[in-house]
Amino acid sequence: MTTKQPNNLPTWLEQPNQLTSQPQRHNFLAHNQQHLQHLLARLSQPLPAVQSKRWQLSPSISLLRLGILILLIALTNNTGWLWVLGLLLAGHLLQLSPSQLRRFSRSWLLSTLIALLVVLPSYWLVGPATVLLFGFKTGLILASTQYYRLTTTFQELLSGLKTLHCPNIFIMTLAIAITYLRMLGHYLLQTMMALDMRMVAPAKHPYRLIGTLFGNLFLKSHAYALELYAAMEARGFNGHYVNQPATTNRWHDMLTLTPYLVLVAVFIFGRTYGIN
Amino acid sequence: MALIKLTNISYDYPNTCGLDHLNLEINTGDFICLMGPNGSGKSTLLRILSGLETASQGDYQFDDQAITAAYLADPQDRQRLHQQIGLVFQNTDVQLFNTSVADEVAFGPRQLGLPEAEIAQRVTDCLELTHSSELRDRVPYQLSGGEKKRVALASVLALNPTVLLLDEPLNGLTIAAQQQMLTLLQTLQAAGKTIIMASHNFKQVQAVEPRFVIFNADHQIQADLTAAELATQPEQQAELLTL
Amino acid sequence: MALIKLTNISYDYPNTCGLDHLNLEINTGDFICLMGPNGSGKSTLLRILSGLETASQGDYQFDDQAITAAYLADPQDRQRLHQQIGLVFQNTDVQLFNTSVADEVAFGPRQLGLPEAEIAQRVTDCLELTHSSELRDRVPYQLSGGEKKRVALASVLALNPTVLLLDEPLNGLTIAAQQQMLTLLQTLQAAGKTIIMASHNFKQVQAVEPRFVIFNADHQIQADLTAAELATQPEQQAELLTL
Amino acid sequence: MHIPDNYLSPATCGTLVLAVAPVWTVAVIKVKAQIKEKRETLPMLGIAASLAFLIMMFNLPIPGGTTAHAVGGTLLAVLIGPWAAVLALTVTVLLQALLFGDGGILAFGANAFNMAVIMPMVGYACYRVGVKFKHPKVGLFIGAYLGINVAALVAGIELGLQPLLAHTASGAPLYCPYGLNVTVPAMLAAHLLVAGWVEAIFTVLVYQFVHKVAPTNLYQVTPQRSRRPWAYLLGGLVVLSPLGLLASNTAWGEWSPAELKQRLAEQHISQQAPQGMVQGLHFKALFQDYTIGNLPISVGYILSAITAVLIFLLLMRGLQHDNQTTK
Ligand SMILES: Nc1ncnc2c1ncn2[C@@H]1O[C@H](COP(=O)(O)OP(=O)(O)OP(=O)(O)O)[C@@H](O)[C@H]1O
Ligand SMILES: Nc1ncnc2c1ncn2[C@@H]1O[C@H](COP(=O)(O)OP(=O)(O)OP(=O)(O)O)[C@@H](O)[C@H]1O
Ligand SMILES: [Mg+2]
Ligand SMILES: [Mg+2]
């Protein structure tokens, strides 16, 4: 094998670079890379964070349960009621593993704190009772959604929505969106890294760069859309996701839902007797 | 009767030419290797064959059925075509979209509605065939380049298509893995599958004695040689070695 | 004094190992070829060298400067590092994001604030060196696989980095184009650049007589041989041929 | 912009879901037609949803050292068409609510209304006007800026109405405790001053990129053939208008200035009704709280709704392109 005559390099390529460095106030690329990495870590989790073997709920029921719980919390102004609902929730939380529970508490406390900060100034407007009630209710709602998120996978969410007769076009869009979020997120992350490698000076027009980044992402995703969809079709996809048949027990489902149904009944009829 | 018959196929991208008046016949059980300079149209041809694009001009017959834009517009016909033709993309990234390798491979069979036991069997088999059993529980997009290639092939194999289109499947694999893959493809061919792959690795591919279809830089087919023909033409062979 | 010095570098992905206690010294003007099985950690090493990731453990010195997470967090230091190190990604798709090939190549020099005349000069030179002048006005994401590889190299070259990291740059190129690229890399090495590439094409790469750093499947360095050493070890050579 | 749970009363949330439902229906019909013409619209919907998600989580630097993020409602409308954008953004909002804790689950209707309906529609309308006057970019810029601000305004109103709609017997608010005088200025200030500009600049730059590289990938308006979907939408709105009664003790947002003032005073929030509203609400005098003559209230509502729809239709008609050139 003969190598050809080495081609001559232009002079600028033969001399080493003069290193320059200009101050930069903040690095939005690095910041966003971190965000994306968190998102991807969360998305790549194939199993739900918590999976109880004995007590597996069908996805539609857990979605329903979440809805009922939030609605009840939002509707009532009775602290006693909230107390009961809180106990119910705490019971669920007991099923979490210690590490999960710590994770749960951290994000829950943070989000509740933020919600409280927003309402706090109203203390001077309407007094402490409102702030307390609001804080209590918001905390409970955030806890129940957080619990749902910890125990549910995307696939379960999809099949849950499907069982609840959500229009197919929504489900499809949701399914593709979740799939793509991972792919596009990964792509965006890699592109940002590549960009980072060539950001040898502070960006003069950061916005132009971002426009390029997302314009490029759109076009690429357009092309990906066609290819991936074709690849999915090529593998038998016809607009319906076939899911792994879930092994759930109807009795368990009903049993788990019962306390909630009782609560709803008490809530509705209790009104006439002044319970709440 | 030829399985695939291309007559005068041209494909134009918005501002470049992709393919220029191609004629090609492929029979069931053929093992074809597409070669040619970069940008000569190998990928474009594979995309047309798989029904992802329709030719701007010319006629594509698959199994005596004309594959036209109208044919492909019908979801059922399209699906029927896709069940017979599997494509491994040049950029495997676009092909892997599930959350675990096992799910990835199971996706196709599951869509077909096979029983779970059979799906599990197929997954295990395909991963074994592509030497990627140990990747089973990994997340596909986090694999290394070569690992992705193998998983992509496994996921297409799981559908058991009769025609396998492979766009540079050897890329990014170690020489040993390339040989494994070629051996696997050869076995598939022996089982009656038709295999059409694009590759630049003449050296490696030569071992399985495919029929070489060689493109030139003008997006045309320059030569079409069976292994036997090639053996009698040392100057062609030398040319291919440095293509 | 070594330009790059890695001491006991390990890298852990969330649930797999990327690199396991690596030690490596690279001098200015070296031409290094990383080889090893798929998933052995070549790309991971290149990403660490480029400063895109920081090692989970161990010490990375570049030009007598420790490259740590804290160092990389400083935008100015980061820029200085990136002016010296250029990286061509394994998946070149992610690297090309401008509206035309010419813009793509001009991106880096423009960031540096060079005068337009010089930028134009660099663009022309780089495209010529990589044999892709005719792609000048094309849209990068619409190129074929091999064309993208060449444009990616051109866009990195335009920054004139002293260290070039190339992740499987020969992938998807024809044999002829591979040789062209290797010749170009050799010329760059002769001009004093340090070149570190990952590749599986032992046959082709051997011609430029690089130093081979060989990984094993356990993410460790198994052998580190200069071309001269390799010449005296035919059994090693045979092993590499089928790696 | 994402309203979390418990800031809006369940009644408001329910009403808003019902208000968006007809829009979704029309969107589904429209998009199905679009899919028939262009198959890739289906995957594009999902992709656009995830794109919107990424846009909303991408921090854009703003002078002063902090960051803001764009929403991309107008951008998506221009890229994939307004109706497809409605669906895609709805999915994004749902995804954020259910899986990422951005925005509430009960408040989903409200968030969808603000971000998935108002934003792309207002933005797209401006863009179309811009296209008509041969300045698409100007139209787009104004559209993006207006779109996000109108959405913010609506969100501010939704929040600000809560103390009036839901309170205990003693007048203590149950949900968002701030009145209109706080929420509207707060939302508007943030968006008029910062987020609006960020959104507008971002939108135009991405548009510019796509327009330059692949103008064919932009949404192409197909000449309108059927006006049926609009009819469904309007019909649905007419039927739904009595829901205004259900939403609260009094129809939300439709008090006479006096009542408003009294309610506000009740809560010691403000001794005076906001000046703008006093003037803005004068036209109500015509209908006297929608009770025309001795008709039952719900009929009055429907009549008012029909009137509004007719005015709306007339406006639409005036803005439409003529199919035949009039000579
Ligand atoms: N999406 C696209 N839009 C416009 N032109 C394209 C597009 N994809 C490919 N091309 C052009 O069409 C020609 C054929 O491309 P194709 O990808 O088929 O080449 P190839 O033979 O597969 O090359 P390689 O060996 O590099 O993969 C090339 O000139 C390429 O630049
Ligand atoms: N993002 C990621 N997350 C988790 N694991 C990863 C990730 N990227 C790579 N890995 C794993 O780390 C190991 C090293 O990967 P790397 O990409 O460095 O291999 P490689 O030597 O470049 O292989 P190839 O020759 O196939 O490109 C592999 O086992 C791979 O599966
Ligand atoms: Mg190709
Ligand atoms: Mg690699």
Side-chain angles (χ1 to χ4, degrees):
Chain A
M1 229 167 282
T2 55
T3 43
K4 291 178 192 157
Q5 279 294 311
N7 18 17
N8 289 325
L9 291 181
T11 42
W12 61 267
L13 203 48
E14 281 177 324
Q15 288 147 6
N17 261 350
Q18 207 65 37
L19 295 190
T20 61
S21 69
Q22 297 157 33
Q24 189 177 14
R25 254 166 292 123
H26 65 273
N27 189 352
F28 71 95
L29 274 181
H31 196 82
N32 281 303
Q33 277 179 30
Q34 268 176 11
H35 267 247
L36 260 181
Q37 260 155 353
H38 282 302
L39 175 72
L40 287 174
R42 167 138 166 60
L43 286 173
S44 63
Q45 187 177 290
L47 297 171
V50 183
Q51 210 172 20
S52 77
K53 294 273 176 311
R54 290 164 293 140
W55 221 234
Q56 208 166 27
L57 269 184
S58 76
S60 57
I61 295 291
S62 60
L63 198 59
L64 216 57
R65 192 176 69 177
L66 174 71
I68 293 178
L69 198 56
I70 296 185
L71 201 62
L72 281 180
I73 299 172
L75 278 174
T76 188
N77 333 314
N78 183 325
T79 34
W81 255 101
L82 289 176
W83 196 284
V84 172
L85 292 171
L87 289 182
L88 200 64
L89 203 63
H92 285 311
L93 289 179
L94 269 184
Q95 293 176 358
L96 297 183
S97 73
S99 67
Q100 293 297 347
L101 196 58
R102 279 192 290 276
R103 206 174 107 189
F104 168 89
S105 324
R106 221 175 311 129
S107 59
W108 174 65
L109 280 177
L110 196 71
S111 49
T112 311
L113 203 69
I114 291 173
L116 268 181
L117 278 183
V118 174
V119 196
L120 217 52
S122 71
Y123 178 86
W124 290 275
L125 284 178
V126 284
T130 306
V131 177
L132 269 181
L133 185 70
F134 184 91
F136 200 27
K137 283 171 71 170
T138 309
L140 275 183
I141 291 182
L142 286 175
S144 40
T145 47
Q146 178 75 10
Y147 176 76
Y148 177 78
R149 263 179 252 130
L150 265 180
T151 49
T152 314
T153 56
F154 308 120
Q155 281 309 319
E156 280 171 349
L157 172 65
L158 285 183
S159 52
L161 285 173
K162 205 166 174 181
T163 327
L164 295 177
H165 299 288
C166 201
N168 203 30
I169 197 163
F170 266 118
I171 307 246
M172 274 284 297
T173 310
L174 197 60
I176 297 180
I178 290 172
T179 303
Y180 263 96
L181 196 51
R182 210 163 46 229
M183 295 203 13
L184 291 188
H186 190 66
Y187 175 81
L188 185 63
L189 180 65
Q190 295 281 318
T191 308
M192 274 200 285
M193 285 179 166
L195 188 65
D196 195 20
M197 283 303 296
R198 287 203 274 155
M199 286 285 287
V200 287
K204 291 194 191 63
H205 310 284
Y207 269 77
R208 194 167 298 164
L209 215 59
I210 293 164
T212 303
L213 212 55
F214 276 92
N216 193 49
L217 188 64
F218 171 75
L219 288 180
K220 215 48 132 325
S221 56
H222 194 89
Y224 267 28
L226 298 184
E227 297 211 356
L228 179 91
Y229 194 67
M232 287 168 84
E233 271 192 334
R235 286 160 64 192
F237 185 74
N238 54 3
H240 297 273
Y241 272 86
V242 181
N243 285 316
Q244 212 167 347
T247 47
T248 52
N249 184 322
R250 297 204 75 177
W251 283 109
H252 281 173
D253 286 358
M254 288 337 280
L255 213 60
T256 333
L257 207 55
T258 317
Y260 294 88
L261 295 178
V262 171
L263 282 179
V264 172
V266 173
F267 185 80
I268 294 172
F269 297 111
R271 205 159 232 181
T272 40
Y273 305 107
I275 290 181
N276 77 86
Chain B
M1 197 44 225
L3 177 70
I4 290 174
K5 191 164 179 221
L6 300 175
T7 329
N8 251 327
I9 290 277
S10 294
Y11 188 88
D12 295 313
Y13 286 106
N15 30 28
T16 34
C17 175
L19 291 174
D20 189 14
H21 292 91
L22 236 66
N23 290 295
L24 191 61
E25 283 198 17
I26 297 171
N27 294 310
T28 311
D30 273 4
F31 192 138
I32 292 193
C33 177
L34 306 176
M35 291 190 67
N38 290 126
S40 56
K42 303 178 292 299
S43 301
T44 309
L45 176 59
L46 290 175
R47 294 167 66 86
I48 290 179
L49 287 179
S50 67
L52 283 189
E53 321 265 2
T54 41
S56 325
Q57 195 188 317
D59 195 32
Y60 167 25
Q61 299 257 346
F62 180 82
D63 213 4
D64 291 333
Q65 166 67 50
I67 308 294
T68 58
Y71 180 82
L72 290 171
D74 182 283
Q76 260 173 319
D77 287 338
R78 199 178 169 86
Q79 216 178 346
R80 204 164 328 115
L81 183 70
H82 286 321
Q83 280 175 16
Q84 297 174 74
I85 301 185
L87 171 64
V88 175
F89 287 76
Q90 180 161 10
N91 180 359
T92 27
D93 264 357
V94 303
Q95 196 165 357
L96 307 173
F97 48 84
N98 285 285
T99 39
S100 82
V101 168
D103 275 346
E104 189 66 57
V105 180
F107 180 84
R110 202 164 274 154
Q111 292 297 326
L112 289 181
L114 298 181
E116 276 299 314
E118 183 169 353
I119 296 178
Q121 187 57 46
R122 284 200 182 187
V123 171
T124 314
D125 290 346
C126 289
L127 288 178
E128 234 160 61
L129 283 175
T130 53
H131 298 88
S132 32
S133 302
E134 76 286 0
L135 302 176
R136 198 183 170 101
D137 296 319
R138 297 282 303 277
V139 183
Y141 80 87
Q142 291 181 344
L143 297 176
S144 84
E147 292 166 339
K148 278 183 193 161
K149 271 263 139 77
R150 285 185 274 152
V151 172
L153 177 62
S155 70
V156 169
L157 269 189
L159 275 165
N160 189 23
T162 47
V163 179
L164 267 171
L165 307 176
L166 306 148
D167 203 347
E168 315 211 1
L170 306 181
N171 253 3
L173 295 182
T174 59
I175 306 282
Q178 292 183 21
Q179 272 158 5
Q180 283 172 355
M181 183 166 291
L182 284 170
T183 316
L184 170 61
L185 293 178
Q186 214 172 11
T187 321
L188 288 170
Q189 181 201 11
K193 313 263 177 238
T194 310
I195 291 167
I196 308 172
M197 64 184 268
S199 180
H200 297 294
N201 297 30
F202 177 68
K203 225 23 227 241
Q204 265 65 256
V205 181
Q206 206 181 9
V208 297
E209 305 199 328
R211 170 175 151 208
F212 285 98
V213 172
I214 297 146
F215 285 75
N216 62 18
D218 296 331
H219 316 284
Q220 292 158 334
I221 291 180
Q222 179 194 319
D224 185 346
L225 301 160
T226 61
E229 285 168 355
L230 193 67
T232 61
Q233 302 188 11
E235 75 287 0
Q236 259 288 7
Q237 217 170 330
E239 198 186 312
L240 283 182
L241 261 176
T242 59
L243 187 74
Chain C
M1 200 41 227
L3 176 68
I4 289 175
K5 190 163 181 230
L6 299 176
T7 328
N8 251 325
I9 289 276
S10 295
Y11 188 87
D12 295 312
Y13 286 106
N15 29 27
T16 36
C17 175
L19 290 175
D20 188 17
H21 292 91
L22 236 67
N23 289 296
L24 190 63
E25 284 200 16
I26 298 170
N27 296 310
T28 311
D30 273 3
F31 193 136
I32 292 192
C33 177
L34 306 176
M35 290 191 67
N38 289 127
S40 56
K42 304 179 292 297
S43 302
T44 309
L45 176 59
L46 290 176
R47 294 164 70 86
I48 290 179
L49 288 178
S50 67
L52 284 184
E53 320 267 0
T54 41
S56 324
Q57 196 190 316
D59 194 35
Y60 167 25
Q61 299 257 347
F62 180 83
D63 212 4
D64 290 332
Q65 166 67 50
I67 309 294
T68 58
Y71 181 84
L72 290 170
D74 182 284
Q76 253 172 304
D77 287 337
R78 204 179 168 87
Q79 278 163 28
R80 205 164 325 117
L81 184 70
H82 290 170
Q83 283 173 20
Q84 299 173 72
I85 300 185
L87 171 66
V88 175
F89 284 66
Q90 182 162 5
N91 178 0
T92 24
D93 252 3
V94 303
Q95 197 165 2
L96 308 173
F97 46 81
N98 285 284
T99 44
S100 80
V101 169
D103 275 346
E104 190 66 58
V105 181
F107 178 86
R110 209 163 265 157
Q111 292 289 324
L112 283 178
L114 298 179
E116 274 301 315
E118 184 170 353
I119 295 176
Q121 186 58 45
R122 285 198 179 192
V123 171
T124 314
D125 289 343
C126 288
L127 288 177
E128 234 161 60
L129 284 174
T130 53
H131 300 89
S132 33
S133 302
E134 75 284 2
L135 302 176
R136 196 184 172 101
D137 297 319
R138 297 280 301 278
V139 182
Y141 87 95
Q142 292 177 345
L143 298 176
S144 85
E147 291 166 342
K148 279 180 192 161
K149 272 264 139 81
R150 286 185 274 154
V151 172
L153 177 60
S155 70
V156 169
L157 267 190
L159 276 167
N160 188 24
T162 47
V163 178
L164 268 171
L165 308 175
L166 306 147
D167 204 346
E168 314 211 2
L170 307 181
N171 253 2
L173 295 182
T174 59
I175 306 281
Q178 291 183 20
Q179 273 160 7
Q180 283 171 358
M181 185 168 289
L182 284 170
T183 315
L184 170 61
L185 293 179
Q186 213 173 15
T187 321
L188 288 168
Q189 182 203 10
K193 312 265 178 240
T194 309
I195 290 167
I196 306 172
M197 65 185 268
S199 181
H200 297 293
N201 297 31
F202 177 68
K203 237 344 244 250
Q204 265 66 255
V205 181
Q206 207 183 8
V208 297
E209 306 197 330
R211 171 176 148 206
F212 285 98
V213 172
I214 297 146
F215 285 75
N216 62 18
D218 297 330
H219 317 283
Q220 293 159 333
I221 291 180
Q222 178 195 323
D224 184 347
L225 303 158
T226 60
E229 284 167 354
L230 193 66
T232 62
Q233 304 188 8
E235 76 286 2
Q236 260 288 5
Q237 218 169 332
E239 197 187 312
L240 284 182
L241 262 175
T242 59
L243 187 78
Chain D
M1 180 75 81
H2 288 85
I3 302 178
D5 267 332
N6 208 31
Y7 280 80
L8 300 181
S9 73
T12 312
C13 295
T15 314
L16 284 171
V17 169
L18 287 175
V20 202
V23 184
W24 283 331
T25 317
V26 178
V28 169
I29 294 170
K30 279 278 195 179
V31 167
K32 275 194 177 149
Q34 205 176 323
I35 288 174
K36 250 184 216 139
E37 267 166 39
K38 264 179 126 182
R39 278 171 21 81
E40 75 242 38
T41 306
L42 184 60
M44 255 346 261
L45 276 180
I47 297 212
S50 49
L51 203 61
F53 191 102
L54 289 177
I55 290 175
M56 286 191 226
M57 75 171 272
F58 199 91
N59 287 306
L60 304 165
I62 48 175
T66 48
T67 56
H69 70 83
V71 177
T74 310
L75 180 67
L76 283 195
V78 173
L79 292 178
I80 64 172
W83 295 107
V86 168
L87 284 190
L89 285 163
T90 303
V91 166
T92 309
V93 172
L94 184 70
L95 201 62
Q96 286 172 328
L98 280 176
L99 295 176
F100 295 91
D102 274 339
I105 292 176
L106 286 186
F108 167 62
N111 285 324
F113 184 66
N114 303 341
M115 282 185 289
V117 176
I118 292 188
M119 238 180 116
M121 286 301 173
V122 170
Y124 189 73
C126 292
Y127 169 71
R128 293 298 305 165
V129 173
V131 168
K132 202 172 171 189
F133 288 106
K134 302 273 178 294
H135 283 292
K137 263 185 226 163
V138 176
L140 187 64
F141 189 88
I142 296 173
Y145 185 75
L146 270 188
I148 195 168
N149 277 299
V150 173
L153 174 67
V154 173
I157 293 176
E158 285 160 6
L159 286 169
L161 284 178
Q162 294 311 311
L164 304 180
L165 291 177
H167 48 79
T168 57
S170 60
L174 290 171
Y175 301 97
C176 177
Y178 303 105
L180 289 166
N181 57 339
V182 178
T183 57
V184 170
M187 289 298 279
L188 274 187
H191 287 84
L192 281 173
L193 293 180
V194 181
W197 300 108
V198 168
E199 177 84 16
I201 295 171
F202 173 83
T203 304
V204 169
L205 284 172
V206 175
Y207 171 84
Q208 214 167 0
F209 184 95
V210 176
H211 186 72
K212 186 170 170 199
V213 178
T216 48
N217 281 4
L218 292 171
Y219 174 66
Q220 318 280 333
V221 192
T222 43
Q224 192 125 50
R225 262 162 287 140
S226 123
R227 303 218 161 75
R228 285 254 294 291
W230 282 107
Y232 290 136
L233 175 61
L234 294 174
L237 284 176
V238 169
V239 173
L240 282 174
S241 56
L243 281 169
L245 290 173
L246 292 178
S248 70
N249 11 14
T250 325
W252 51 286
E254 296 164 14
W255 303 272
S256 65
E259 190 186 357
L260 189 65
K261 187 176 168 188
Q262 181 208 335
R263 277 166 174 273
L264 288 169
E266 230 170 57
Q267 297 168 65
H268 317 288
I269 287 175
S270 155
Q271 294 303 326
Q272 264 203 317
Q275 205 52 44
M277 290 200 78
V278 177
Q279 256 118 55
L281 287 170
H282 266 323
F283 73 96
K284 289 278 167 55
L286 281 176
F287 287 111
Q288 289 296 331
D289 263 353
Y290 288 32
T291 338
I292 304 170
N294 288 327
L295 291 174
I297 282 193
S298 54
V299 176
Y301 257 96
I302 293 181
L303 276 183
S304 321
I306 292 175
T307 317
V309 163
L310 272 177
I311 294 176
F312 179 67
L313 276 179
L314 286 173
L315 271 177
M316 288 290 303
R317 188 105 194 120
L319 287 174
Q320 247 161 23
H321 293 269
D322 282 319
N323 283 342
Q324 326 90 318
T325 42
T326 38
K327 295 225 169 115

